[in-house]
Amino acid sequence: MSGRIVARTLFAATLSALLALSGTQMALAAQQSPPGHFPDVIALPNGFQPEGIDIGPGGTGYVGSLVDGDIYVFSVRTGEEITTLEGPGTPSVGLKIDKHDRLFIAGGPTGEARVVDAATGDLIQSYQLTTEPSFINDVVLTRDAAWFTDSQQAQLYKLPLGPGGALPDPDAVETLPLTGDWVQQAGFNANGIEETPNHQALLVIQSATGILFRVDPDTGVATAVDLGGVTLTDGDGLLVVGRTLYVVQNFQNTVAVVKLNASGTSGELVDQLTDPDFQVPTTIARFGNGLYLPNARFDTPPTPDTEYSVVRIDR
């Protein structure tokens, strides 16, 4: 090989390496782009009627439909649709994605919960949590279980998870009655659910009263969290990040920010977030420094042409 050819070959190899490095740096820059560069309002299909939301670690968002249970999948970076997972024709309410790319979905008035493949929407397993009049509203995933709230019955439902997140048999559902300070009310009751910061108990908001409860997952004893007299009116979806609890107050078009102690027995309201694009948001998910909330527009009669969206705010 001549010296000129060698020189050209070395130049080409160096250029390729620089381009590859440049591409890597660009990709990293895109991943680390300030959250403000992401769209603040993400359009959903007309007539979709969203309720639950969650976001995977790569920035893929999932929103469930109250109409037919479809799951709209989108990129938080671009706001564009990735795909839509076909639902069963019944509602999808609260939902969570796990590290095995499975979506755990609350089934609302069906009394069911289901687990689906987050990539294909294929049903992996369904669970009849109750046959009583019910509204299975929200779900949280803990180290060893999936917990579901029921807005019409004073009880939670537990799907115990085995090693490696193995799903239980359909008849392995455990029902946990809510006792202690819990008093069932007319209307919607248990709604959003999360873990306490120390992962030892559950936090459940009662929509009818705006009271936040700490629930012992072994006994079902519910204790009102001491918030210094603050009532979280119209409390809906919950999100815990460290010791910060975000509470969506749907008809208030507000997100309450509460600093909790580690055990979740007390907390202090430190901020209230709102946005002019809020239209009765229900649930909440986080990606980076952004909070994402679907506008359910419960104050607007739904039609096939009603517009819906997801709104991003800074946290």
Side-chain angles (χ1 to χ4, degrees):
M1 185 180 294
S2 72
R4 180 176 296 179
I5 293 175
V6 170
R8 286 178 177 175
T9 302
L10 289 173
F11 175 77
T14 302
L15 180 59
S16 296
L18 287 172
L19 288 173
L21 178 60
S22 175
T24 300
Q25 290 173 335
M26 289 174 63
L28 288 172
Q31 292 175 4
Q32 299 169 358
S33 295
H37 291 184
F38 296 168
D40 291 327
V41 178
I42 297 168
L44 297 173
N46 287 359
F48 190 76
Q49 294 186 46
E51 213 284 344
I53 188 171
D54 202 14
I55 299 172
T60 299
Y62 303 84
V63 179
S65 169
L66 293 174
V67 178
D68 53 15
D70 282 1
I71 306 294
Y72 184 82
V73 186
F74 66 94
S75 166
V76 300
R77 302 178 188 280
T78 66
E80 295 178 356
E81 178 185 7
I82 296 173
T83 188
T84 295
L85 308 177
E86 185 176 354
T90 55
S92 290
V93 195
L95 52 83
K96 291 292 185 297
I97 187 168
D98 73 358
K99 62 182 180 181
H100 304 289
D101 290 328
R102 302 177 300 192
L103 286 168
F104 290 71
I105 303 170
T110 65
E112 293 181 342
R114 64 185 189 276
V115 184
V116 305
D117 186 306
T120 65
D122 291 342
L123 180 67
I124 299 172
Q125 187 61 270
S126 63
Y127 298 90
Q128 189 67 51
L129 303 181
T130 180
T131 57
E132 300 174 334
S134 60
F135 192 89
I136 311 304
N137 200 323
D138 208 352
V139 55
V140 66
L141 301 178
T142 67
R143 180 182 58 82
D144 59 0
W147 289 92
F148 293 83
T149 57
D150 187 336
S151 296
Q152 294 189 13
Q153 302 292 331
Q155 53 200 29
L156 304 178
Y157 307 100
K158 177 184 179 182
L159 299 182
L161 302 176
L167 296 175
D169 293 333
D171 60 357
V173 176
E174 299 177 18
T175 300
L176 184 71
L178 294 171
T179 60
D181 293 342
W182 188 274
V183 178
Q184 193 77 351
Q185 307 289 327
F188 257 42
N189 284 269
N191 197 328
I193 184 170
E194 267 284 80
E195 275 193 294
T196 55
N198 65 3
H199 306 289
Q200 299 301 304
L202 301 169
L203 296 169
V204 177
I205 188 73
Q206 186 178 37
S207 292
T209 62
I211 299 174
L212 179 69
F213 290 90
R214 181 187 188 274
V215 178
D216 186 316
D218 295 321
T219 66
V221 173
T223 306
V225 177
D226 181 5
L227 298 180
V230 171
T231 299
L232 300 169
T233 305
D234 296 327
D236 200 326
L238 305 181
L239 173 67
V240 171
V241 181
R243 291 193 181 184
T244 301
L245 168 68
Y246 298 93
V247 183
V248 183
Q249 296 178 264
N250 51 33
F251 282 98
Q252 307 296 311
N253 286 313
T254 298
V255 179
V257 184
V258 177
K259 285 295 183 182
L260 295 169
N261 63 1
S263 60
T265 58
S266 66
E268 178 187 3
L269 179 68
V270 296
D271 203 354
Q272 292 177 295
L273 310 177
T274 190
D275 190 275
D277 289 313
F278 280 170
Q279 296 176 302
V280 192
T282 48
T283 50
I284 183 169
R286 173 178 69 104
F287 185 74
N289 289 325
L291 300 174
Y292 291 79
L293 300 92
N295 278 325
R297 303 191 69 184
F298 287 148
D299 56 354
T300 301
T303 73
D305 297 321
T306 303
E307 296 180 351
Y308 295 96
S309 61
V310 172
V311 176
R312 180 204 168 279
I313 61 172
D314 290 330
R315 69 182 181 91

